[in-house]
Amino acid sequence: MSIRNLDSLFEPHSVAIIGASERPFSVGGSLWSNMLTSGFGGKLFPVNPKHQMLSGHRCYASVQALPQAPEMAVICTPPDTVADLVKTLAGRGTRAAVVISAGLTAAQKQAMLDAAKPTLMRILGPNCVGLLAPHAGLNASFAHISARKGELAFVSQSGALVNALLDWAQARAIGFSHFVSLGEHADVDFGDMLDYLAMDRHTRAILLYIESIDQARKFMSAARAAARNKPVIVIKAGRSPQGQQAAASHTGALAGSDEVYEAAIARAGMLRVDNLEDLFLAAEVLTRYQGPIGEVMTVLTNGGGAGVLAADAAARHGVPMATLEPELVQALDKVLPANWSRGNPVDIIGDAPGQRFVDALNALAGHPKQTGTILFIEAPTAIVPPDNVARALVPVIRPKEGAGLPVISCWLGGPAVVQARQRCVDAGIASFDMPEQAVQAIGMLQAYARNQAELTEAPPAIQVQGGAPPDTARVRAIVRAVLAEGRELLTEPEAKEVCACYRIPVAATRSVGADPEEAVAEAARLGYPVVLKILSEDISHKSDVGGVALNLETAEAVREAARGMLARVRKFEPKAHIAGFTVQRMVRRKQAQEIIIGASIDPTFGPVILFGQGGTAVEVMKDSAMALPPLNAPLARALIARTRVARLLAGYRDVKPADMNAIIGALQAVSQLLADVPEVAELDINPLIVNYEGAIALDARVRVSGKQPAGAARFAIAPYPAQLIEAMPWNGGAVTLRPIRPEDEAMHRAFLQSLNIEDIRMRVFYSRRSMERSELARMVQIDYTREMAFIATAPDDEGLERTLGVVRAVADPDNMGAEFGIIVRPELKGSGLGALLMDKMLRYLRAAGTQQLTAQVLVENSRMRALGRQLGFTETSAGDGAMSLTLDLTAHGKATPAKPGKGKR
């Protein structure tokens, strides 16, 4: 992953167009024309041996003939010329190239990449439309029109969509900071673009059109980092599920790739939309809405019909309408005429002047938990000009000082409301033409808030649960034995034992031979009623062949069921080897729901977990959702909430709520199993019956593979690195050094508040001890694939954990270098704690392959400079009263911590 040299792709000082021409309707002609008319202020070099001049510019016969190395080149020549051109350009010092050429073979693409690699030359394409960067006056594409200058970045895998969307956006006066066609993304891909655009000052929101992802962990890491900075909105093509027809479990059949993409997009804190209209609708509301996102909506309008339309749209989009409590109704009574609607929508009557809107809005804003997000709808009247209403409302919704109100505006009509609508837009207030659009936008805000909440979670691969730990050794022994026998499918008793080893309650199951009398004898030992099932490694879905009999209450019933089962299986599955039967007690629980918990391996994102409504009709009901492991309790709860069965589990009428902790525990257990046992390829617990008493698995299937497709290393999201937790002797006692985690937010705030102003100035060059919650959240919610923060903790006098110090390093996306900072509590200066933390970080970075570590420190920060010299850093002046500390991490040797009491910060 790298953003190295991408600035040369999007802001070059010179560009060569290789294959440029003036031939109408040709790629080379379109590229040359677009560059000439785009307003590019740098040097342009056309390259074509057939011409001496092009549009008044000298044309060069070859790359070698260019008077200087172009910073960026655009290549639109035959496929067999691309690799040599890239080699020549790289040799001359070109830093980036857009390869428009299509039809490169796999060998030609690899030769192109090999030619670029030695100089880190970046390649966009091949087989792409090109790129547009309006702020840089750059149109290195063969698009038929240019892009307006704006604040939205659009990145697409589809070249055809690039041209169509440019045309569509032009008609709607929508502008862009960047417009990029990735083509076959041999080098520059979505991960690189997300990293670059996340920090781009011109970009307010990032829009993606995705057909497929190649490197899941790279993509997820970049997406999660970008989504913390600005909205990332995704259209993912291919919603139609393509079930895995050969799958051995319900989970495998349900886990179509689109459902997994849905889970990945949510887990990365992005928002998925269905079409281009929604793409820009989402961009409008996510970049302009500034208030808290409420779980309910209140409509404030001067038109009853508009309010009804909004309420209808709320029902369609699943946006709950707020219920106005008596206290709020009384507050509104004081400022509204007697004939107002006295409910939600809040209809304040068509003659409402601007002040009535203001008074009603202030009353609603005084009860934020009750009203949630406020949708303001104004229908123009001859009595009150809409702009007068806007003049009154805008300063209240978005005051110059202080927090704004959670309001979205909707101005109904055309020319009569243009000025009012524009006044809102100029003030940064999301504004829409129709109530349906505005309600849909609020639904997007709510979905986005849920996804952003998932983004903040960073669970470890292994959850520390109450009770006994899982018996991983036993599970591994079962798996080894199954694979040694040449099998992949575990028998039902084996699968249930795996579940039991991970503390998922199972119905006790006994195996007997293929003799009905053995089944009768075992049923008598267990006690009636019982369940009888066929036992065959060749039959996965036993119900499909009549291999399950429930609620057998007598010996004769068991005998007849066993005989009938054998006959049916021999008829419908004559080649299946029948090992015998399983017998289990019939489990009966009041008010029980059947659910399914499963796991499978997605070819792109690796291990995934499924939850949904269970039973034999699970594939027909299709009430399920997917999640990426690792899971903690909040993520498991969010997964459950994405299904319809969640409403049943919450209880209704005289049905008590199900034991959610039992379901969450089972989901976390499956997550841990996937992390612990890489051979698990597929798992199905169906049905898992659950009620207010708990959960119990009635059936389970497990498929394993010697290829080890699971394991924490295959997770698309790097789990919390619990293996890096370390206890160290220090200062006559002990200190724990561990990676920071989201749950440390309160403790980290207390740590920052313990620092004195001078220490903060030495660390971050400014004197401010308070911090916005969003800024603090970014410090504890980190992506461990690209950033690390180790904290030192020890119990205080009351036995509560507190932070003593922190060291943080942020690597560039290609891990070539990292920048660090370190700070400890004032009373611990000179205690050696800083040296302990630095040694921990240096060991980690060396193991991660980081090559260089740097820091900027103030000249007067003598303690930090002394610690740097002790650890082998070199010093150079950075100007403006700062010094640059640099350490080559590739050099052999290990930093030696200072002795307790002798260390320096």
Side-chain angles (χ1 to χ4, degrees):
M1 183 182 306
S2 178
I3 58 171
R4 201 170 294 274
N5 290 334
L6 288 188
D7 54 342
S8 295
L9 193 63
F10 296 107
E11 296 185 81
H13 293 94
S14 57
V15 176
I17 308 295
I18 303 172
S21 77
E22 292 180 320
R23 183 160 55 91
F25 308 113
S26 68
V27 173
S30 298
L31 277 162
W32 178 243
S33 175
N34 283 346
M35 281 300 300
L36 281 177
T37 58
S38 64
F40 180 63
K43 295 181 179 179
L44 275 178
F45 302 113
V47 178
N48 191 327
K50 298 178 180 179
H51 302 279
Q52 292 185 339
M53 298 291 293
L54 278 179
S55 306
H57 289 69
R58 181 183 172 184
C59 189
Y60 298 89
S62 66
V63 170
Q64 294 92 330
L66 291 172
Q68 67 181 69
E71 187 173 0
M72 191 260 276
V74 184
I75 300 173
C76 55
T77 56
D80 57 357
T81 66
V82 172
D84 287 340
L85 285 169
V86 169
K87 183 177 181 180
T88 303
L89 288 163
R92 292 206 60 181
T94 299
R95 295 181 178 180
V98 180
V99 180
I100 305 293
S101 312
L104 275 72
T105 65
Q108 288 170 335
K109 276 190 284 189
Q110 189 58 53
M112 173 190 71
L113 294 174
D114 292 343
K117 186 175 181 179
T119 61
L120 295 178
M121 178 178 170
R122 303 311 305 273
I123 305 291
L124 179 66
N127 190 21
C128 68
V129 173
L131 68 91
L132 298 91
H135 290 277
L138 186 68
N139 185 351
S141 78
F142 63 92
H144 65 298
I145 56 174
S146 190
R148 291 174 179 264
K149 190 182 295 185
E151 298 177 299
L152 303 178
F154 181 74
V155 184
S156 173
Q157 274 180 300
S158 166
L161 187 62
V162 165
N163 287 306
L165 184 57
L166 271 174
D167 204 46
W168 188 90
Q170 186 79 7
R172 290 159 178 79
I174 296 171
F176 297 91
S177 62
H178 299 80
F179 208 99
V180 182
S181 166
L182 290 179
E184 296 179 29
H185 50 90
D187 173 26
V188 177
D189 61 11
F190 281 114
D192 301 318
M193 289 305 309
L194 284 164
D195 274 324
Y196 180 82
L197 295 170
M199 305 305 294
D200 178 64
R201 67 187 185 280
H202 298 300
T203 300
R204 179 164 50 97
I206 303 170
L207 316 180
L208 306 178
Y209 173 82
I210 297 175
E211 292 177 352
S212 63
I213 296 296
D214 292 333
Q215 301 178 57
R217 184 169 280 197
K218 172 185 176 180
F219 171 77
M220 291 298 291
S221 177
R224 285 160 58 78
R228 294 182 194 279
N229 286 342
K230 57 191 67 172
V232 182
I233 307 162
V234 178
I235 293 180
K236 166 63 180 72
R239 273 195 179 272
S240 301
Q242 299 296 321
Q244 301 172 4
Q245 299 300 323
S249 68
H250 291 296
T251 298
L254 290 170
S257 61
D258 188 68
E259 287 77 8
V260 181
Y261 271 98
E262 188 88 32
I265 290 167
R267 188 70 177 83
M270 302 183 289
L271 177 67
R272 183 178 185 178
V273 297
D274 292 329
N275 52 56
L276 296 180
E277 290 275 6
D278 290 353
L279 193 69
F280 293 101
L281 182 75
E284 165 74 10
V285 71
L286 292 182
T287 57
R288 295 191 183 277
Y289 185 84
Q290 298 177 19
I293 300 171
E295 296 180 359
V296 295
M297 177 183 75
T298 300
V299 178
L300 173 63
T301 181
N302 67 338
V308 172
L309 289 175
D312 287 346
R316 286 196 302 275
H317 293 288
V319 177
M321 294 284 285
T323 300
L324 307 187
E325 299 297 335
E327 182 182 0
L328 177 53
V329 172
Q330 290 174 8
L332 290 168
D333 279 338
K334 294 177 181 179
V335 297
L336 295 180
N339 58 340
W340 77 278
S341 61
R342 302 184 62 77
N344 185 16
V346 179
D347 179 4
I348 63 174
I349 313 307
D351 64 350
Q355 189 58 47
R356 189 186 298 172
F357 276 105
V358 170
D359 293 341
L361 185 59
N362 284 331
L364 294 173
H367 300 75
K369 291 185 179 179
Q370 185 183 150
T371 55
T373 301
I374 300 170
L375 170 57
F376 155 74
I377 306 175
E378 207 271 353
T381 68
I383 301 172
V384 182
D387 192 48
N388 288 3
V389 176
R391 285 176 184 272
L393 280 176
V394 165
V396 178
I397 298 172
R398 198 71 76 239
K400 292 183 179 180
E401 297 180 3
L405 298 182
V407 175
I408 284 176
S409 69
C410 174
W411 300 88
L412 294 175
V417 298
V418 167
Q419 193 171 354
R421 188 183 295 132
Q422 190 59 48
R423 192 176 297 278
C424 282
V425 171
D426 293 343
I429 301 168
S431 186
F432 299 96
D433 300 344
M434 297 293 176
E436 295 83 357
Q437 283 183 328
V439 172
Q440 185 181 1
I442 291 173
M444 290 175 174
L445 282 173
Q446 292 174 340
Y448 182 67
R450 291 191 293 268
N451 294 354
Q452 285 281 301
E454 291 196 27
L455 172 63
T456 65
E457 301 294 339
I462 298 175
Q463 298 283 321
V464 179
Q465 305 281 348
D471 189 350
T472 305
R474 175 57 187 153
V475 172
R476 288 173 176 160
I478 293 171
V479 170
R480 284 195 301 270
V482 170
L483 291 174
E485 293 176 12
R487 291 190 286 133
E488 286 193 343
L489 281 176
L490 276 63
T491 64
E492 182 184 346
E494 290 169 338
K496 284 184 173 177
E497 187 175 358
V498 167
C499 293
C501 285
Y502 271 74
R503 313 309 171 201
I504 299 172
V506 298
T509 303
R510 304 286 186 267
S511 301
V512 298
D515 182 351
E517 296 306 320
E518 290 186 37
V520 169
E522 189 59 48
R525 281 189 286 270
L526 284 173
Y528 293 101
V530 297
V531 176
L532 185 71
K533 301 178 186 177
I534 202 74
L535 180 60
S536 171
E537 63 184 62
D538 299 320
I539 301 173
S540 178
H541 299 300
K542 295 177 281 290
S543 298
D544 293 350
V545 293
V548 178
L550 305 175
N551 203 30
L552 303 176
E553 297 188 345
T554 65
E556 186 56 31
V558 172
R559 187 177 294 110
E560 289 301 315
R563 289 171 178 169
M565 238 176 245
L566 290 173
R568 285 190 297 275
V569 170
R570 285 166 182 158
K571 177 180 179 181
F572 296 112
E573 293 284 349
K575 296 182 179 179
H577 170 72
I578 301 173
F581 301 100
T582 62
V583 186
Q584 68 184 53
R585 281 289 302 270
M586 181 74 190
V587 177
R588 289 172 172 164
R589 287 196 173 178
K590 294 180 180 179
Q591 302 179 343
Q593 302 285 343
E594 291 188 341
I595 60 175
I596 179 173
I597 291 177
S600 64
I601 310 301
D602 182 78
T604 300
F605 291 96
V608 295
I609 295 172
L610 175 138
F611 173 85
Q613 188 169 4
T616 56
V618 59
E619 291 163 6
V620 177
M621 298 301 295
K622 292 185 178 179
D623 175 23
S624 62
M626 310 291 291
L628 303 184
L631 294 184
N632 59 8
L635 289 171
R637 195 177 298 275
L639 170 61
I640 295 167
R642 290 200 294 270
T643 62
R644 297 190 302 275
V645 74
R647 295 195 289 272
L648 297 177
L649 296 172
Y652 56 95
R653 293 187 179 179
D654 61 342
V655 177
K656 297 179 182 179
D659 184 347
M660 294 299 292
N661 289 332
I663 303 173
I664 289 169
L667 285 165
Q668 289 181 266
V670 170
S671 175
Q672 184 169 340
L673 175 63
L674 291 170
D676 291 344
V677 187
E679 294 85 357
V680 174
E682 224 169 285
L683 177 144
D684 221 29
I685 302 172
N686 181 38
L688 180 75
I689 64 168
V690 59
N691 70 349
Y692 55 89
E693 299 172 302
I696 186 168
L698 301 188
D699 200 358
R701 302 177 185 83
V702 176
R703 185 173 69 83
V704 294
S705 169
K707 295 179 181 179
Q708 299 189 337
R714 302 291 185 95
F715 287 3
I717 297 175
Y720 177 78
Q723 72 277 8
L724 296 177
I725 299 174
E726 186 175 16
M728 300 284 288
W730 168 72
N731 223 19
V735 65
T736 298
L737 306 181
R738 64 169 176 81
I740 203 166
R741 58 190 178 209
E743 293 86 349
D744 293 325
E745 183 176 319
M747 193 167 73
H748 206 64
R749 182 184 294 279
F751 167 70
L752 293 174
Q753 291 172 342
S754 76
L755 305 175
N756 59 51
I757 296 298
E758 183 62 15
D759 283 335
I760 295 175
R761 188 180 74 85
M762 289 290 187
R763 167 65 181 86
V764 292
F765 299 3
Y766 67 84
S767 301
R768 180 166 63 90
R769 192 160 49 190
S770 64
M771 184 173 289
E772 293 293 331
R773 193 218 171 253
S774 58
E775 189 176 355
L776 182 64
R778 287 192 183 97
M779 298 183 75
V780 298
Q781 299 166 10
I782 64 175
D783 186 331
Y784 303 103
T785 61
R786 58 177 61 207
E787 180 179 359
M788 181 53 70
F790 289 114
I791 59 173
T793 70
D796 60 16
D797 294 339
E798 297 179 358
L800 300 175
E801 186 182 30
R802 69 170 185 157
T803 300
L804 307 179
V806 59
V807 60
R808 185 181 302 270
V810 181
D812 56 28
D814 56 359
N815 203 31
M816 296 290 289
E819 187 172 355
F820 81 96
I822 182 171
I823 196 166
V824 301
R825 285 179 177 265
E827 69 272 19
L828 299 179
K829 294 176 183 178
S831 67
L833 183 62
L836 276 179
L837 282 164
M838 281 302 301
D839 176 65
K840 176 75 171 174
M841 183 60 78
L842 291 175
R843 286 186 281 127
Y844 169 78
L845 291 173
R846 285 190 171 109
T850 310
Q851 299 184 28
Q852 189 180 76
L853 184 62
T854 62
Q856 299 285 313
V857 301
L858 293 174
V859 170
E860 61 263 38
N861 193 346
S862 57
R863 289 181 179 274
M864 186 63 238
R865 292 175 65 187
L867 177 59
R869 288 191 294 270
Q870 174 188 325
L871 296 174
F873 284 81
T874 60
E875 278 191 358
T876 56
S877 175
D880 296 325
M883 300 295 293
S884 179
L885 305 183
T886 305
L887 180 65
D888 180 5
L889 295 173
T890 62
H892 294 291
K894 178 181 177 182
T896 303
K899 294 180 181 180
K902 300 293 184 182
K904 302 290 184 183
R905 184 187 66 76

